[in-house]
Amino acid sequence: MLFNSFAFAIFLPVVFILYWFVFNKNLKLQNGFLVLASYFFYGYWDWRFLLLLIAVSVLNYLIGIGIEKNNTNSKSKLWLITGLFINIGTLAIFKYYNFFIDSFIDLISLIGYTLPRSSANIVLPVGISFYMFLSLSYIIDIYKKQLNANRNIIEVLLTLGFFPIILAGPIQRPTLLLTQIVKKRDFQYYLAIDGLRQILWGLFKKIVIADNAAIQVSYIFNNYSDLPASSLWLGALYFSFQIYGDFSGYSDIAIGTARLFGFNIMQNFSYPYFSCNITEFWKKWHISLTSWFRDYVFMPLSFSVSWRIHSERIFYIKSDLFIYIVASGITWLLTGLWHGANYTFVIWGMIHGIFLILYYLQRNPRKKVLKKLNISDKNLIIVITEALITLLIIMVAWVFFRSDSISSAFQYLNGMFNKSILQHPLNAAMLKLLPLIFILVVVEWIQRRKKHGLEINTINHTWLRWGIYYAVILMIILLGGQQQSFIYFQF
Amino acid sequence: MIFFLKRLILFIILFIVGSLITGLCLNSILFKSIYSENVPKLSSDVHILFIGDSHAMCAFNDSIIVNSFNASRNSETYFQTYNKLNWILKANPQIKLIVLSYSPHNISLEQNKLILYGDRYFPLLDRHSRDIIEHAGANGLLPEDHGFLSTFYNIRHYIIYNFLMLKWDWGLPTSITPYLDYLIEPSYSDKKQYLHPLFTPRYSSIHSNLSSETTSTALRRHFGTEISECTESAIMIYYLNAMGNLCKNSKVNLLLVNTPMHSSYLKALPASLYKKYLSLADSLPLNNKFIEYADFSDSGFPDSDFGDADHLNNKGNLKFANICIDLLNKSY
């Protein structure tokens, strides 16, 4: 079920009313009802995928108990490995099977052998990457004794299948979600009101920004060879805002929906395009995924490598830098792969990995240079220049993310850097999105210290607040683009 | 909780009431002033008006053909062209000849699907056209692929159509995009009147080249997925006749032109619809001396002159402009 569908517009109030008026007396009933509602929401798309979700959730429930029961002996590790194998194996089969087979055939062809290509017709279950990561967190946290294995299967099923976050995150840590699930929840007026505000802002970003940008982006990326460089830059800019509007909009709707039911879900975006460097960008973009990779891949990998290194330098590189490069490289390779089974995503991840390493390398020299020149870190010109450079790197990397193949990405980039950059874009209609993007940027800049763009509870005048809501609703109705699916569903 | 629900319901009621009032103001002041009451006058030496959909838009170069003006728009159906022409003729009595693109797809049932998407035309509609939209369901205009109320987007359309179609011109503005067009369209900035939404986007040439993919895409777009089974649209035929009558009453000649098309497209046309098309092309001029028909669909243009299966590119267009000038010089 799509958040921006009519079905959801019916589903949400019905579930909301039943949840607070019928099942509010008993926590077990309330949780049981939420599990049913979540499964209806998920199965509405395709009931076959629901069976997979239930099977994975039940298996992880049992594995969690298995790990905890054996936490004093080595069997605990065996349970964990079984859990990792099941979760990663399922993800690999459904998402990466064809990619791995094709890559293997390509590799074999490099040494002169040709194997026949036969791709399996595997349908990707929607949201699989998200609930698999939730499941992995659940069993790893139990293994690390950061979480107790929950014996109540309903609570575990709800943790791994809660409908606002099941399709595209945020990848809420079970440690934080379970603690809310097991406690009695009372209706909180201000939480619900702010949840509605966040849903409205999410819809604006999705319907007005992302859906309008999608049309222009498709046109520009499909016809890049016939368009001047100025149009291609516009295409890269529009895609940057399309994917931001699409995914952060989705996250806002998900978080806002969860708040209506009394749950606080982690913030997933924190105005990432206002970042002054690539590290800051990744602290603000898809926070739940970045922190997941940090905690479950980067940190364990860094520790693991550092324990094996006993010299100060490796290949003339300081050991701490070497560890950072290795851990970052692998983490960003996996981050790229997580987004999709295509080399374009791998390259996109590696570009970010390389720039993060470069940023890491230049931090100290930069400080020294600025100190020598007696320029403050917060100097406006420095801040703006660095923010623009960061945005430029991100935009260029998005070209790989959006392109169908690496070669078309390079051709697109080649087209971006030529003298036609000063030409007027061929189609004047392309420019119509700019005022909408301008509105988004201005609002988010003003609200950059708040959790979302429409957090206006500090405005005391009800009529002013309501006027702003009405203005946003009218913009959604009048300026919204054609309905597009959420981009991150494919991941 | 009860307080929350009360506030929410109050918010929704106020929104509906506020929308009606805002719509009333915007519709009656903004759109009427732009569309209906201030249709600009074209220059007094413009005697020929090209009108129709993308076929006319890409075929008739009004910068080469003297005393002419191309007011066509891509995806415009006869339903919309008629209503547009009605306003243009009222404001521009100097026009002596209307050249309307007339190809088989113009009377195809698939054209009905485009009626509801032309919300920029809504303020122009006459009473009969409004009735057609108001009874969109009964007239088979609603898309079949996703139920009318299946998504939020369709609800949005539903609100827009129905609020606008309420009697006494109540309701939300159809779309503010035409108004934005009018304000920011950079082309033709030397002549303010040409920025009017009725007169944009005008002539436009295609720079691409023909491919087999574009032929099947054009055929599907024009005649649906079951091409051979495509039938004629009673609504489109009605408005074709209505344009004939409008020209007759305004003492303006009407020239129906079938613009050049690629042989691959022509060969794949649905037989029964094409037969109906030809019989109409014959009967209209017979019944009305103001109307003439010229068929250039099979004029032997080489592949290199086509941008896609049913549009000439800028190279082919230059050749066609000369043919048009000859025709217009001979006849008018």
Side-chain angles (χ1 to χ4, degrees):
Chain A
M1 196 182 290
L2 280 173
F3 278 161
N4 53 341
S5 68
F6 182 68
F8 186 72
I10 300 290
F11 169 84
L12 183 63
V14 170
V15 174
F16 179 82
I17 298 286
L18 290 174
Y19 178 81
W20 287 117
F21 283 102
V22 180
F23 298 102
N24 63 326
K25 299 281 185 289
N26 184 317
L27 180 64
K28 280 183 185 169
L29 273 178
Q30 216 176 20
N31 284 341
F33 172 67
L34 268 190
V35 171
L36 285 179
S38 297
Y39 285 168
F40 176 79
F41 174 87
Y42 189 76
Y44 190 82
W45 200 291
D46 191 329
W47 63 269
R48 289 169 302 171
F49 297 159
L50 180 61
L51 296 180
L52 179 70
L53 172 66
I54 295 172
V56 166
S57 302
V58 172
L59 279 173
N60 280 290
Y61 164 75
L62 296 172
I63 289 164
I65 294 172
I67 292 171
E68 196 173 71
K69 271 188 178 171
N70 298 284
N71 64 359
T72 50
N73 56 49
S74 59
K75 277 187 184 170
S76 157
K77 198 166 197 171
L78 196 66
W79 275 104
L80 176 71
I81 291 169
T82 309
L84 294 178
F85 182 76
I86 288 171
N87 287 311
I88 298 171
T90 309
L91 192 60
I93 289 170
F94 279 99
K95 193 166 176 179
Y96 300 107
Y97 178 81
N98 286 329
F99 175 69
F100 287 144
I101 295 287
D102 285 345
S103 302
F104 179 72
I105 292 169
D106 290 341
L107 199 67
I108 292 291
S109 69
L110 289 178
I111 51 171
Y113 292 97
T114 312
L115 293 173
R117 281 183 198 274
S118 61
S119 54
N121 187 19
I122 298 173
V123 182
L124 181 68
V126 64
I128 188 169
S129 305
F130 292 93
Y131 68 74
M132 283 302 171
F133 270 41
L134 267 173
S135 306
L136 285 169
S137 285
Y138 180 69
I139 56 170
I140 294 171
D141 287 354
I142 293 172
Y143 179 76
K144 286 158 79 179
K145 294 175 188 159
Q146 290 171 355
L147 180 71
N148 293 325
N150 195 308
R151 299 299 198 270
N152 184 332
I153 192 164
I154 297 295
E155 287 171 358
V156 176
L157 293 182
L158 183 56
T159 307
L160 302 180
F162 185 36
F163 78 87
I165 59 171
I166 184 70
L167 295 181
I171 308 168
Q172 177 77 6
R173 298 300 168 79
T175 40
L176 299 173
L177 193 56
L178 254 177
T179 48
Q180 298 180 67
I181 286 172
V182 298
K183 272 188 198 158
K184 172 128 178 62
R185 295 173 293 275
D186 291 319
F187 182 79
Q188 296 172 54
Y189 176 79
Y190 290 103
L191 189 68
I193 287 287
D194 205 48
L196 283 180
R197 277 197 284 256
Q198 195 159 2
I199 291 172
L200 186 59
W201 188 241
L203 285 171
F204 172 82
K205 284 198 275 190
K206 166 64 183 155
I207 295 169
V208 178
I209 302 297
D211 287 354
N212 274 311
I215 298 160
Q216 302 295 343
V217 168
S218 292
Y219 175 76
I220 295 169
F221 274 78
N222 291 339
N223 299 285
Y224 64 86
S225 52
D226 301 326
L227 295 170
S230 52
S231 297
L232 302 192
W233 277 100
L234 214 52
L237 179 77
Y238 284 173
F239 183 66
S240 305
F241 279 94
Q242 182 198 346
I243 196 160
Y244 172 67
D246 193 284
F247 193 25
S248 72
Y250 180 90
S251 296
D252 279 338
I253 300 169
I255 295 166
T257 306
R259 296 176 103 186
L260 286 177
F261 293 88
F263 289 93
N264 267 312
I265 302 291
M266 69 184 293
Q267 197 178 0
N268 212 17
F269 288 83
S270 178
Y271 315 105
Y273 289 145
F274 299 140
S275 304
C276 290
N277 58 63
I278 199 81
T279 307
E280 191 186 342
F281 173 77
W282 278 107
K283 282 178 185 163
K284 294 176 167 185
W285 180 278
H286 203 174
I287 299 164
S288 63
L289 180 76
T290 321
S291 58
W292 196 97
F293 271 106
R294 183 196 62 209
D295 294 346
Y296 296 106
V297 180
F298 181 81
M299 299 301 277
L301 208 60
S302 301
F303 287 129
S304 168
V305 175
S306 66
W307 285 336
R308 284 167 176 76
I309 291 175
H310 303 294
S311 55
E312 278 200 7
R313 285 179 180 271
I314 296 170
F315 304 122
Y316 305 105
I317 303 171
K318 278 186 181 172
S319 56
D320 61 336
L321 178 62
F322 180 80
I323 293 163
Y324 183 80
I325 291 172
V326 170
S328 287
I330 294 173
T331 305
W332 285 97
L333 177 74
L334 292 175
T335 307
L337 261 181
W338 179 89
H339 282 86
N342 194 329
Y343 288 115
T344 50
F345 295 118
V346 176
I347 297 283
W348 170 80
M350 294 313 293
I351 289 173
H352 280 282
I354 289 166
F355 276 103
L356 281 162
I357 293 165
L358 290 175
Y359 177 73
Y360 182 83
L361 289 174
Q362 62 84 51
R363 279 186 315 172
N364 288 336
R366 177 181 170 276
K367 265 184 200 168
K368 283 178 190 167
V369 171
L370 287 180
K371 201 175 173 185
K372 230 177 197 178
L373 296 171
N374 201 19
I375 298 174
S376 158
D377 240 8
K378 288 170 186 167
N379 180 294
L380 194 64
I381 296 170
I382 297 282
V383 169
I384 291 173
T385 311
E386 288 184 340
L388 287 175
I389 291 170
T390 307
L391 187 63
L392 189 76
I393 293 166
I394 294 161
M395 274 169 58
V396 169
W398 283 135
V399 171
F400 283 92
F401 196 95
R402 175 61 176 77
S403 297
D404 300 327
S405 64
I406 295 174
S407 62
S408 57
F410 277 114
Q411 283 165 17
Y412 189 101
L413 287 173
N414 191 35
M416 279 168 80
F417 296 96
N418 69 43
K419 60 183 178 185
S420 61
I421 195 165
L422 297 175
Q423 273 183 26
H424 189 282
L426 275 185
N427 186 348
M430 280 181 193
L431 300 172
K432 286 178 190 168
L433 192 59
L434 288 176
L436 299 176
I437 290 177
F438 180 74
I439 292 171
L440 174 77
V441 171
V442 169
V443 171
E444 295 223 320
W445 176 256
I446 294 167
Q447 296 287 91
R448 66 190 181 282
R449 297 190 210 294
K450 305 277 176 64
K451 280 187 178 164
H452 58 87
L454 213 56
E455 193 183 321
I456 50 171
N457 48 327
T458 45
I459 298 176
N460 289 327
H461 302 286
T462 306
W463 292 109
L464 184 56
R465 280 202 315 273
W466 284 29
I468 293 170
Y469 305 148
Y470 287 138
V472 175
I473 293 171
L474 278 175
M475 285 178 84
I476 291 171
I477 290 174
L478 297 174
L479 301 175
Q482 291 291 316
Q483 184 182 22
Q484 313 279 336
S485 183
F486 286 98
I487 295 175
Y488 264 67
F489 277 11
Q490 63 186 295
F491 307 142
Chain B
M1 181 69 187
I2 298 293
F3 180 66
F4 171 80
L5 289 177
K6 273 183 183 173
R7 296 269 286 188
L8 193 61
I9 291 165
L10 177 67
F11 181 84
I12 293 168
I13 290 171
L14 282 178
F15 177 72
I16 294 169
V17 173
S19 299
L20 284 170
I21 295 167
T22 315
L24 173 67
C25 298
L26 282 175
N27 254 2
S28 56
I29 300 166
L30 183 69
F31 283 90
K32 270 193 174 178
S33 67
I34 288 182
Y35 280 98
S36 316
E37 289 159 7
N38 291 314
V39 175
K41 260 191 85 67
L42 295 167
S43 141
S44 59
D45 58 358
V46 171
H47 303 306
I48 304 167
L49 183 76
F50 298 112
I51 202 158
D53 60 8
S54 59
H55 284 206
M57 201 171 128
C58 297
F60 305 118
N61 188 339
D62 56 3
S63 61
I64 296 177
I65 304 166
V66 291
N67 300 336
S68 73
F69 187 86
N70 189 333
S72 46
R73 182 174 190 88
N74 48 317
S75 301
E76 188 173 282
T77 67
Y78 282 170
F79 172 86
Q80 292 136 356
T81 308
Y82 163 78
N83 283 288
K84 183 164 132 176
L85 188 61
N86 208 356
W87 287 102
I88 295 178
L89 284 181
K90 269 181 208 165
N92 293 279
Q94 80 278 21
I95 292 171
K96 299 292 171 221
L97 172 66
I98 303 294
V99 180
L100 173 70
S101 60
Y102 174 63
S103 302
H105 78 274
N106 289 121
I107 58 160
S108 125
L109 196 60
E110 283 294 302
Q111 292 283 293
N112 287 9
K113 291 180 183 171
L114 297 173
I115 290 180
L116 290 185
Y117 288 99
D119 48 1
R120 62 161 51 218
Y121 298 88
F122 283 179
L124 306 173
L125 303 184
D126 64 5
R127 176 56 58 202
H128 181 261
S129 307
R130 282 173 174 235
D131 284 344
I132 286 179
I133 296 233
E134 277 179 49
H135 303 105
N139 287 318
L141 305 182
L142 302 180
E144 290 162 14
D145 50 345
H146 44 282
F148 189 49
L149 284 174
S150 68
T151 65
F152 165 79
Y153 293 82
N154 284 332
I155 294 177
R156 185 159 65 91
H157 278 134
Y158 181 84
I159 293 169
I160 289 168
Y161 300 144
N162 287 284
F163 276 35
L164 184 89
M165 289 303 127
L166 285 171
K167 315 292 180 195
W168 317 297
D169 286 334
W170 279 41
L172 288 165
T174 55
S175 157
I176 66 167
T177 351
Y179 182 64
L180 289 176
D181 275 349
Y182 188 51
L183 290 179
I184 68 171
E185 185 72 50
S187 323
Y188 315 110
S189 53
D190 53 330
K191 293 176 180 175
K192 175 69 183 168
Q193 74 267 31
Y194 295 162
L195 299 179
H196 193 278
L198 277 179
F199 297 139
T200 53
R202 298 187 61 197
Y203 165 73
S204 170
S205 65
I206 295 183
H207 294 273
S208 58
N209 283 318
L210 180 75
S211 70
S212 56
E213 201 180 310
T214 59
T215 308
S216 53
T217 309
L219 285 163
R220 270 200 308 274
R221 195 175 64 242
H222 290 155
F223 307 108
T225 43
E226 300 295 329
I227 295 168
S228 58
E229 290 169 21
C230 183
T231 53
E232 72 272 18
S233 155
I235 296 176
M236 296 305 148
I237 294 174
Y238 171 86
Y239 279 100
L240 176 63
N241 282 305
M243 278 189 275
N245 290 331
L246 177 66
C247 290
K248 185 180 173 185
N249 295 336
S250 309
K251 295 191 170 50
V252 174
N253 289 304
L254 176 64
L255 175 60
L256 305 173
V257 175
N258 193 5
T259 52
M261 275 174 263
H262 192 258
S263 54
S264 61
Y265 179 91
L266 281 173
K267 276 178 204 159
L269 286 173
S272 64
L273 181 74
Y274 191 50
K275 208 173 154 190
K276 177 77 188 172
Y277 164 83
L278 289 175
S279 71
L280 264 173
D282 289 338
S283 66
L284 282 167
L286 267 181
N287 299 334
N288 196 325
K289 64 175 183 171
F290 285 95
I291 304 178
E292 283 194 43
Y293 170 65
D295 188 355
F296 296 105
S297 59
D298 194 10
S299 304
F301 280 81
D303 286 2
S304 58
D305 285 345
F306 285 93
D308 56 30
D310 57 330
H311 301 105
L312 292 170
N313 58 20
N314 47 342
K315 187 175 157 220
N317 173 270
L318 283 175
K319 289 185 193 171
F320 188 60
N322 289 320
I323 296 173
C324 286
I325 290 167
D326 282 349
L327 173 78
L328 295 170
N329 284 343
K330 275 180 207 163
S331 310
Y332 303 96

